[in-house]
Amino acid sequence: MGQIVCAWQAAIGGARGLRVNSGFARMAQLFPQYTNTLARIALPCLALGFSVVAWAVHAAWFSSYATEVNTPVEQPVPFSHQHHVAGLGIDCRYCHTSVETSAFAGLPPTETCMTCHSQVWRDAPILGPVRESWTTGRRLRWKRVHDLPDYVYFNHSIHVQEGIACVSCHGRVDRMPLMAKQHSLYMRWCLDCHRAPERHVQPMSEVFVMRDEPAQAAAASRLASRGELRGESPPIFERGRQAVREKAVRDTRLEDCSICHR
Amino acid sequence: MALTAQRCEQVTDRLSGLVLREPLRRGWLAGFALAFALLMLLNVAIPWLLIRGVGIWGVNIPVAWGFAIVNFVWWIGIGHAGTFISAILLLLHQQWRTSINRFTEAMTLFAVACAGLFPLLHLGRPWVFYWLLPYPDTMALWPQWRSPLVWDVFAVTTYLTVSLIFWFIGLVPDLATMRDRAERPWMRVVYGIGALGWRNSARHWKRYEMAYLLLAGLATPLVLSVHSVVSFDFAVAIVPGWHSTIFPPYFIAGAIFSGFAMVLTLVIPVRAVYGLRDLITERHLDHAAKVMLATGLLVALGYASEQWMTWYADEPYDAFMSHNRMFGPYWPVWWTVMACNIGAAQALWWRRVRTSPALLFAVALLIQIGMWTERYMIVITSLHRDFLPSSWGMFHATVWDWATFAGSLGLFFTLLFVFIRLLPMIAIAEMRKQTTEGRE
Amino acid sequence: MSTPYRASVPTPGASPQWRSLDDLARLEGGGDEFPADASEWPDALSRRRFLQLMAGSLALAGTGACTRQPREEIVPYVRQPEALQPGQPLYFATAMELGGEAFGLLVRSDSGRPTKIEGNPAHPATLGRSSVHMQAALLTLYDPGRSQGLMKSGSPATWEDLLGTLTEQRARWQERAGAGLRLLTRRIASPTLREQIARLLTKYPQAQWHEHDAAFPAPPLPAGLRLERAEVIVSLDADFFGSGALHPRAAFDFAKRRRADHGRLYVVESTPSLTGAMADHRRALRPGELADFARGLARAVREPGAEADPWIPAIARDLTEHRGRSLVVAGEFQSPEVQASARELNEALGNVGQTIDNLPPAPGPRAAALPELARAMHSGEVEALLIFGANPAYDSPADLDFNAALEKVPFTLHHGIYFDETAGRCAWHVPESHFLESWSDARALDGTVSIVQPLIEPLYPSKSAHELFAALLGELPADGYEIVRSAWQQRPGGGGFESAWRKTLHDGIAPQTGTVSAPPAQGATTQIPPTEPAAFQASLELIIRPDPHLLDGRLAENAWLQELPKPFTKLTWGNAAHLSPRTAERLGLAHGDVAELRYRGRTVRAPLWILPGHADECVTIHLGHGRNCAGSVGSGCGFNAFALQTSEAPWGGRGLEIHKTRERHVFATTQEHQRMEGREPVRVETLGKPTTPPAEAAPAREETLYPNIDYGRPSWGMVIDLNTCIGCSACTIACQAENNIPVVGREQVLRGREMHWIRVDAYFAGSVEAPQLLHQPVPCMHCENAPCEAVCPVAATVHDHEGLNVMVYNRCIGTRYCSNNCPYKVRRFNFLSYNDTHAPQLALMRNPEVSVRMRGVMEKCTYCIQRISAARIEAEKEARPIRDGEVVPACAQACPAEAITFGDIHDPESRVAALRQSPRHYALLAELNTRPHTTYLARVRNPNPEIA
Amino acid sequence: MKGRALYGLVAEFLEPERLLAAAHAARQAGYKCTDAYAPYPVEGLADALGMRFTGVPLTTLLFGIGGGTTGYAMQLYSAAVDYPLNVGGRPLNSWPAFVPIIFELTVLAAAFGAALSMFAFNGLPRPHHPIFETPFFRERNASRFYLCIEARDRKFREEKTRAFLEEQAPEHVWEVREE
């Protein structure tokens, strides 16, 4: 071993430019025993390391940090869907008026808030901004929670018309004190549904109802997430498929680029 | 002392000496400085390109591909000689390859590296180049496998990787020799790591030769495939002057043609400077020149058959295209190509030319210019006048086009100069074998 | 001059077609194929550069995807306007005025921002069609170069300051009864404004009103014409498609007749014009000869006899055979004599009231002309000059020396949308509100009146002409809305005013107005034209015309129009002196030479453009260029033709000399080569003759190695009728407005990087002396076997199930392979960041339904897929198929001649399907078997057997 | 040097023929755990030592086949199954267009197979090895020829083996000890 130590010292010395005596220079073993083990495990380690890094990047991409799933967003007014939807049982369309007719679901004007809050919680401090907006006429500035890239053209009205329930994308809003994304909104996620609408499409009566995605859809997405049942369609989808037929969804087109991108 | 050991000792000592004992020559320094300056030019051109966009080049509609693709094809072509020499000539038992294969393999690697640069740079959005690779992305999308550009990605990376493996395996025994002969311990450690503990064991040698032979067998179709795939970029398209079935063979011939030209332009000065005239002899130059002549004639055949097909098919667009190449606004390009690639190459019929380094050097240079211009002809003069006269246009190269090209030359030569300093440019072990067995 | 095309490449089997020479001119200009001038050097690190640098370094980090975009905000209303629904556009009827005529518009508003202009179907002047000028008006609204504040002698001032000064001025005018008070306007179409002027003139009797409109010496031609009724039309240099402003109505009516029984059009003109290109027989004559021709024609119709010119008796016979169904039109730039001959002919042929109406003049006072004003100013009689909209400092004849005269006027006020040459020389400048920002009204030439209603609050502290006038008169109300409204209240109108007002606003036209035909104007004074001085007899003739797009320069700041290729030459960002090949050869001039034009003692330097089909021995130059005070866009491109204009002969005359200089000019043109090279992209057939079989017929559908993919319904397709397309480029601008297409500037056009998704190709066929002028709009062909798709490495361009060739910008990595492989070269690439993302105004202008493309991605015509999606969604909501005609792309919607038809080619009932059955139907480059969904109908000629 | 386990006896030759002969002899004498060292691959030396097959070609073949199949599977799945897109009317499974990538992946995998198996079967990388303890081995292994009979050989007897080696007329016979 001692020999090795001075081999390295010499190596450093050599690096400093000292010339070392040739007797030493011709020392028998250049590398100590353990370097064999090192060398042997080096290659597998390299391969392993690479795959670990790749996996990590991939995981990060789909992590809730990147997708911001379940991370509530600070709002000027801490509006609670839980209270208004679950508590008071207000229908989605009361505030999101254009959801059935326009691409944009619509955010309520201050007026809408004031219809009630001119009567109830008249001087609750948290409603200060609302009252201020009402009196000054200055608009409220809400933070976007579901923000698609600008090159994606999502249209609420058609999805509602075809029987995609609010919960399918926005989750159980009625359990959210502060609004938070429920899905990554990645293209891959959109395609999951566009490739098999019958897993999510429901009769109109269900669309605005705040209950967990119907059993078949949940089951389906579970199966789908495990990459099973592409194409084939067990009976649990019958209801959905019927709805699809009624709605005449042209599912051949749902995978077209032009459906979302222009 | 017995002959074999003595010869081996001489060869080994001399060749390893080229790296271990060679002083820093002024010629080397000058060359390196020049190459490095050009490399710095590339260092300016690339950031500016990324900041402003490909618009800083002369490309436009209709000529949407410009220098980037010309240079890409040119470099890839040059990258062919190395593998050709080390793989195909190995299978053909051409002893003379031994003196130059290591050097030309290195050349191949660097040329392919330069080539690989351009397709990336010429993208409109280079920062998303990885969309060309298949991986599970958030968009659930894949590359479009029917596009020759995807084939390029695979072909070039494969070619680079395989050449690298081939080159490295060739190096291992020599690295061992360097390890054992280097004076400075730290150098011995460094070479030692590269040598992977090679100890000249007979059993190792056997597997080694087997693997080397297999790699040669693999590299041979590969080298032929790479330029075929590159030629598909054009042959698969419908542009008159691109859409041609003879492109693959004609591109491969051209590649080896220009590759050997580059080999000679490099080897002739090197053998002079490092006094290797006895190892890289007139005989080697002669052989290389003969290969050049042969491939040159193949290229000429390519041109000829292109013309003949145009005439025979009587396809109006092609007819116009070939006429336009000769007499259109870009006529100088076509005539330069003919003069250099067909004209200059004919000088190689004379042994005098083939064996005189100076003349050969000149011819090789001309051929390289000719082959670059040929790619210019194929890419630009085909695009600038295609189907609808209303969309015809012209291409004007900009300063940045030239800067990037010069920069790539800088990259190439910088790598080459470094290689000459750090690694044995002639395969020592193979020379040992040849000097001892070669004489029987 | 002819040497270059003699030396040019002869094509195997080329029909006697030949080429324009700009590519050779470029070669000569650029020398070899690597000219230094094409180099691209870094310029100073401007803010924009810096941002790009940031973007670049991001790119370097390769973190295009890793960076999280900043959190967006949603800002709802406090009180939401009813009718307005976020995400759904609204449409409002309004009108714009040009050359004293009203053009009714329908404007789309996206969340309070006007984003697209269309014609109003109810309006007689537009009939729902539109023109380049109507489309481009949108950019003017958002143009960052607009005048943004009130100025007093070059420094900012307030409206109150002005009011103060005006009260003083009023006092002075009062005591002198308005003596020395002069008013200068362009042609005015607003009744309310005319009333205000009338009030001013009654209040100050001595005051005088002058009218100066360099682009519209007379009202736009077509208003009185009934082209759809005319079977034989003779145009004496009358460009009723393109004179002054392109007139949608003319093209519309003409196309109607063409579709019906084609009819026959003779055009005799000096400079190739859009109208000339549509002619069945076109004759290029210099203005002098043209007058003789007109005289001869009139004579031949009066008493048929021997004529030197074989054309004359033939045309005369054709005319007399179609009494009451024929029409002779003289150009508004022609001498009174030619006008007279035309009038005489129409009366003789009994066309008046049949194919041509005499329109009643607008009510109210008459205005005097500019020369009188200039004289008065020079003689110091003028104390106060109020200029409304006009820009005489630039667009007045040189001999008036208006600028010097302006010095002599103590009080000058300029009201205009730009701070232009005149504004800079006036004491006061008041920014004018754009018509989309202000209330007004406008009268079409047939009397139809529309209300001009704003769609957006003024972007800058600007005033409408009405408001400024109210201030001048010290009247109330001072607010534009009140002014217009009260003016309308005073007019006689049946029923309750409120309902009528609302209805007018909604429909865009006032009920019971318009189509009032006046009695034939009798005894029109045929005055003898000024005889040319003997000195000029032998010399060249100069022809001065307004620019087809920039008019008299009032639109020079509109980048869309600057970059819109001019007819035939496809020239952008500048003008040229046009002359015929033969004349150029005689004078030893080459295309691209810069020459000195000397005309009656004045001189300009102009680059020469050798234009086939131009009359010999005369030179045409266009006004509207060479402005030096037109902002970053308009300043300093082209030369100023007003320098040669004289008030006695404003539209040119004899006495021109050309002196070649050593200098050469490289034109920024979008089409360098105009010979068809025997490839027949445009097919021409002769009426009645059996259709000529195409050179290479398209392979049969089963001739393919690929599976025949059966596109269901709808499968979108487009048919373009080359027989009615007049080549006006309205489609190009409409597309640019609808699809957020950027302008790239002269330097980039020179590099061949223009971005227009639909271009209008121009070809010259036939002999050099009398070429046939052909147009061809070329959008994406949406090929079924698209060559572009197969070569894209990332599937950024693929087919969808509706037969569209879709381009996914956000997937594109910019290899540009698709463009190389596109035989039609309709793909456009963002070589640099062309979209100005920094001017907030332009952000307002953009169509929210279309992605704004970033640097490094390919783009192309999408068939206005945003409109298709909208229609699809509506249809699916109602669970019905999309109706034929429900989807109308911007180009088709704008096309004044309805030459573009769009629809489902697999729907046997649809109009496109029907057109695809026509014997004239053909596909461009069909022999490549790309199976395009955009196809064409061949051009048809109806020659007079007696001629040719 | 004493007190360390004996690794083997090493005979040093100047000529390949001698080594070859010695190797044959050793084999005749029934020595199994032998190895030879030569500055370059000497024809038939490994066979003389009784080396049967290398295993490299087979691995290469398997890797190659593997690469090719993955190549085709990947393209077929992504283009025809996972996201079928109509690309210019081409068939979803445009196998002719898939050939280039299949080929490239075959070659790539095979090349890795050849290289990796060569190193793996050779037990490389192995920077430390007793043979380096042979005196002057480093100076001479690039020019001289060695035959090593390892101590772990069942027939290895130090004196007898040394005697046997001496019979082969080497330059030297070294005894090499493990570290």
Side-chain angles (χ1 to χ4, degrees), chain D residues 139-157:
Chain D
E139 292 86 337
R140 296 177 182 171
N141 74 345
S143 53
R144 303 198 177 189
F145 304 80
Y146 297 88
L147 178 67
C148 168
I149 300 179
E150 295 174 22
R152 60 190 168 90
D153 191 314
R154 263 199 272 87
K155 291 183 91 276
F156 184 90
R157 304 280 177 282

mmCIF file of all heavy atoms in Angstrom, chain D residues 139-157:
data_model
loop_
_atom_site.group_PDB
_atom_site.id
_atom_site.type_symbol
_atom_site.label_atom_id
_atom_site.label_comp_id
_atom_site.label_asym_id
_atom_site.label_seq_id
_atom_site.Cartn_x
_atom_site.Cartn_y
_atom_site.Cartn_z
ATOM 1 N N GLU D 139 8.683 -2.364 -19.370
ATOM 2 C CA GLU D 139 9.584 -1.919 -20.420
ATOM 3 C C GLU D 139 9.457 -2.801 -21.643
ATOM 4 O O GLU D 139 9.557 -2.351 -22.774
ATOM 5 C CB GLU D 139 11.040 -1.961 -19.935
ATOM 6 C CG GLU D 139 11.364 -0.959 -18.860
ATOM 7 C CD GLU D 139 11.039 -1.479 -17.482
ATOM 8 O OE1 GLU D 139 10.191 -2.387 -17.382
ATOM 9 O OE2 GLU D 139 11.627 -0.992 -16.522
ATOM 10 N N ARG D 140 9.247 -4.118 -21.388
ATOM 11 C CA ARG D 140 9.497 -5.058 -22.463
ATOM 12 C C ARG D 140 8.230 -5.632 -23.099
ATOM 13 O O ARG D 140 8.305 -6.238 -24.154
ATOM 14 C CB ARG D 140 10.361 -6.210 -21.936
ATOM 15 C CG ARG D 140 11.740 -5.739 -21.501
ATOM 16 C CD ARG D 140 12.512 -6.900 -20.938
ATOM 17 N NE ARG D 140 13.831 -6.469 -20.471
ATOM 18 C CZ ARG D 140 14.629 -7.256 -19.773
ATOM 19 N NH1 ARG D 140 14.250 -8.483 -19.469
ATOM 20 N NH2 ARG D 140 15.813 -6.826 -19.375
ATOM 21 N N ASN D 141 7.062 -5.424 -22.471
ATOM 22 C CA ASN D 141 5.905 -6.162 -22.991
ATOM 23 C C ASN D 141 5.517 -5.676 -24.374
ATOM 24 O O ASN D 141 4.731 -6.299 -25.055
ATOM 25 C CB ASN D 141 4.724 -6.089 -22.027
ATOM 26 C CG ASN D 141 4.081 -4.708 -22.067
ATOM 27 O OD1 ASN D 141 4.655 -3.759 -22.572
ATOM 28 N ND2 ASN D 141 2.888 -4.633 -21.540
ATOM 29 N N ALA D 142 6.071 -4.532 -24.802
ATOM 30 C CA ALA D 142 5.747 -4.055 -26.142
ATOM 31 C C ALA D 142 6.695 -4.642 -27.174
ATOM 32 O O ALA D 142 6.574 -4.383 -28.368
ATOM 33 C CB ALA D 142 5.806 -2.532 -26.183
ATOM 34 N N SER D 143 7.705 -5.381 -26.701
ATOM 35 C CA SER D 143 8.660 -5.909 -27.680
ATOM 36 C C SER D 143 8.954 -7.397 -27.459
ATOM 37 O O SER D 143 9.421 -8.066 -28.356
ATOM 38 C CB SER D 143 9.968 -5.115 -27.586
ATOM 39 O OG SER D 143 10.413 -5.104 -26.241
ATOM 40 N N ARG D 144 8.684 -7.882 -26.260
ATOM 41 C CA ARG D 144 9.059 -9.285 -25.996
ATOM 42 C C ARG D 144 7.836 -10.161 -25.767
ATOM 43 O O ARG D 144 6.717 -9.690 -25.645
ATOM 44 C CB ARG D 144 9.991 -9.348 -24.789
ATOM 45 C CG ARG D 144 11.229 -8.500 -25.003
ATOM 46 C CD ARG D 144 12.326 -8.867 -24.082
ATOM 47 N NE ARG D 144 13.504 -8.057 -24.399
ATOM 48 C CZ ARG D 144 14.691 -8.279 -23.865
ATOM 49 N NH1 ARG D 144 14.862 -9.277 -22.996
ATOM 50 N NH2 ARG D 144 15.719 -7.525 -24.195
ATOM 51 N N PHE D 145 8.070 -11.440 -25.694
ATOM 52 C CA PHE D 145 7.015 -12.442 -25.666
ATOM 53 C C PHE D 145 7.101 -13.258 -24.384
ATOM 54 O O PHE D 145 8.190 -13.654 -23.998
ATOM 55 C CB PHE D 145 7.134 -13.346 -26.888
ATOM 56 C CG PHE D 145 7.109 -12.600 -28.175
ATOM 57 C CD1 PHE D 145 8.240 -11.958 -28.650
ATOM 58 C CD2 PHE D 145 5.935 -12.495 -28.911
ATOM 59 C CE1 PHE D 145 8.218 -11.248 -29.832
ATOM 60 C CE2 PHE D 145 5.922 -11.787 -30.091
ATOM 61 C CZ PHE D 145 7.053 -11.165 -30.552
ATOM 62 N N TYR D 146 5.991 -13.438 -23.706
ATOM 63 C CA TYR D 146 5.991 -14.111 -22.406
ATOM 64 C C TYR D 146 5.023 -15.268 -22.406
ATOM 65 O O TYR D 146 3.957 -15.207 -23.022
ATOM 66 C CB TYR D 146 5.585 -13.133 -21.302
ATOM 67 C CG TYR D 146 6.517 -11.978 -21.123
ATOM 68 C CD1 TYR D 146 6.358 -10.808 -21.864
ATOM 69 C CD2 TYR D 146 7.564 -12.044 -20.211
ATOM 70 C CE1 TYR D 146 7.196 -9.729 -21.695
ATOM 71 C CE2 TYR D 146 8.415 -10.971 -20.033
ATOM 72 C CZ TYR D 146 8.224 -9.814 -20.785
ATOM 73 O OH TYR D 146 9.076 -8.768 -20.609
ATOM 74 N N LEU D 147 5.433 -16.318 -21.696
ATOM 75 C CA LEU D 147 4.512 -17.411 -21.411
ATOM 76 C C LEU D 147 4.431 -17.529 -19.888
ATOM 77 O O LEU D 147 5.441 -17.560 -19.207
ATOM 78 C CB LEU D 147 5.006 -18.733 -21.987
ATOM 79 C CG LEU D 147 4.094 -19.919 -21.663
ATOM 80 C CD1 LEU D 147 2.756 -19.771 -22.378
ATOM 81 C CD2 LEU D 147 4.760 -21.221 -22.088
ATOM 82 N N CYS D 148 3.169 -17.514 -19.399
ATOM 83 C CA CYS D 148 2.989 -17.563 -17.948
ATOM 84 C C CYS D 148 2.232 -18.828 -17.592
ATOM 85 O O CYS D 148 1.204 -19.146 -18.203
ATOM 86 C CB CYS D 148 2.229 -16.334 -17.461
ATOM 87 S SG CYS D 148 1.689 -16.505 -15.738
ATOM 88 N N ILE D 149 2.764 -19.601 -16.654
ATOM 89 C CA ILE D 149 2.029 -20.752 -16.117
ATOM 90 C C ILE D 149 1.666 -20.408 -14.691
ATOM 91 O O ILE D 149 2.544 -20.134 -13.865
ATOM 92 C CB ILE D 149 2.868 -22.041 -16.165
ATOM 93 C CG1 ILE D 149 3.251 -22.344 -17.620
ATOM 94 C CG2 ILE D 149 2.108 -23.206 -15.555
ATOM 95 C CD1 ILE D 149 4.097 -23.572 -17.801
ATOM 96 N N GLU D 150 0.380 -20.370 -14.418
ATOM 97 C CA GLU D 150 -0.067 -19.847 -13.131
ATOM 98 C C GLU D 150 0.040 -20.918 -12.039
ATOM 99 O O GLU D 150 -0.107 -22.107 -12.319
ATOM 100 C CB GLU D 150 -1.502 -19.337 -13.235
ATOM 101 C CG GLU D 150 -1.601 -18.149 -14.168
ATOM 102 C CD GLU D 150 -3.038 -17.718 -14.384
ATOM 103 O OE1 GLU D 150 -3.891 -18.046 -13.536
ATOM 104 O OE2 GLU D 150 -3.303 -17.067 -15.435
ATOM 105 N N ALA D 151 0.211 -20.437 -10.847
ATOM 106 C CA ALA D 151 0.444 -21.352 -9.723
ATOM 107 C C ALA D 151 -0.804 -22.163 -9.412
ATOM 108 O O ALA D 151 -0.744 -23.255 -8.860
ATOM 109 C CB ALA D 151 0.869 -20.547 -8.489
ATOM 110 N N ARG D 152 -1.941 -21.610 -9.789
ATOM 111 C CA ARG D 152 -3.179 -22.316 -9.422
ATOM 112 C C ARG D 152 -3.434 -23.517 -10.338
ATOM 113 O O ARG D 152 -4.388 -24.252 -10.147
ATOM 114 C CB ARG D 152 -4.365 -21.355 -9.439
ATOM 115 C CG ARG D 152 -4.634 -20.711 -10.781
ATOM 116 C CD ARG D 152 -5.666 -19.579 -10.636
ATOM 117 N NE ARG D 152 -5.720 -18.778 -11.853
ATOM 118 C CZ ARG D 152 -6.525 -19.028 -12.868
ATOM 119 N NH1 ARG D 152 -7.317 -20.079 -12.845
ATOM 120 N NH2 ARG D 152 -6.516 -18.251 -13.936
ATOM 121 N N ASP D 153 -2.586 -23.699 -11.351
ATOM 122 C CA ASP D 153 -2.744 -24.858 -12.226
ATOM 123 C C ASP D 153 -2.505 -26.133 -11.422
ATOM 124 O O ASP D 153 -1.586 -26.229 -10.633
ATOM 125 C CB ASP D 153 -1.754 -24.762 -13.381
ATOM 126 C CG ASP D 153 -2.060 -25.800 -14.439
ATOM 127 O OD1 ASP D 153 -2.294 -26.977 -14.063
ATOM 128 O OD2 ASP D 153 -2.096 -25.433 -15.628
ATOM 129 N N ARG D 154 -3.387 -27.131 -11.641
ATOM 130 C CA ARG D 154 -3.278 -28.365 -10.843
ATOM 131 C C ARG D 154 -1.911 -29.021 -11.057
ATOM 132 O O ARG D 154 -1.322 -29.578 -10.170
ATOM 133 C CB ARG D 154 -4.405 -29.324 -11.195
ATOM 134 C CG ARG D 154 -5.576 -29.227 -10.201
ATOM 135 C CD ARG D 154 -6.482 -30.437 -10.235
ATOM 136 N NE ARG D 154 -7.556 -30.322 -11.241
ATOM 137 C CZ ARG D 154 -7.407 -30.684 -12.508
ATOM 138 N NH1 ARG D 154 -6.249 -31.180 -12.921
ATOM 139 N NH2 ARG D 154 -8.407 -30.558 -13.357
ATOM 140 N N LYS D 155 -1.372 -28.956 -12.255
ATOM 141 C CA LYS D 155 -0.081 -29.634 -12.508
ATOM 142 C C LYS D 155 1.108 -28.772 -12.104
ATOM 143 O O LYS D 155 2.250 -29.106 -12.363
ATOM 144 C CB LYS D 155 0.019 -30.013 -13.996
ATOM 145 C CG LYS D 155 -0.963 -31.115 -14.364
ATOM 146 C CD LYS D 155 -0.816 -31.539 -15.800
ATOM 147 C CE LYS D 155 0.177 -32.709 -15.921
ATOM 148 N NZ LYS D 155 1.562 -32.254 -15.984
ATOM 149 N N PHE D 156 0.840 -27.606 -11.521
ATOM 150 C CA PHE D 156 1.935 -26.685 -11.220
ATOM 151 C C PHE D 156 2.759 -27.167 -10.019
ATOM 152 O O PHE D 156 2.214 -27.362 -8.936
ATOM 153 C CB PHE D 156 1.376 -25.282 -10.948
ATOM 154 C CG PHE D 156 2.443 -24.243 -10.724
ATOM 155 C CD1 PHE D 156 2.969 -23.516 -11.787
ATOM 156 C CD2 PHE D 156 2.947 -24.011 -9.443
ATOM 157 C CE1 PHE D 156 3.933 -22.563 -11.567
ATOM 158 C CE2 PHE D 156 3.924 -23.052 -9.240
ATOM 159 C CZ PHE D 156 4.414 -22.327 -10.312
ATOM 160 N N ARG D 157 4.009 -27.452 -10.302
ATOM 161 C CA ARG D 157 4.957 -27.700 -9.201
ATOM 162 C C ARG D 157 6.094 -26.750 -9.467
ATOM 163 O O ARG D 157 6.693 -26.793 -10.552
ATOM 164 C CB ARG D 157 5.451 -29.149 -9.202
ATOM 165 C CG ARG D 157 4.339 -30.216 -9.142
ATOM 166 C CD ARG D 157 3.805 -30.408 -7.715
ATOM 167 N NE ARG D 157 2.696 -31.369 -7.696
ATOM 168 C CZ ARG D 157 1.450 -31.035 -8.074
ATOM 169 N NH1 ARG D 157 1.184 -29.810 -8.489
ATOM 170 N NH2 ARG D 157 0.486 -31.952 -8.025
#
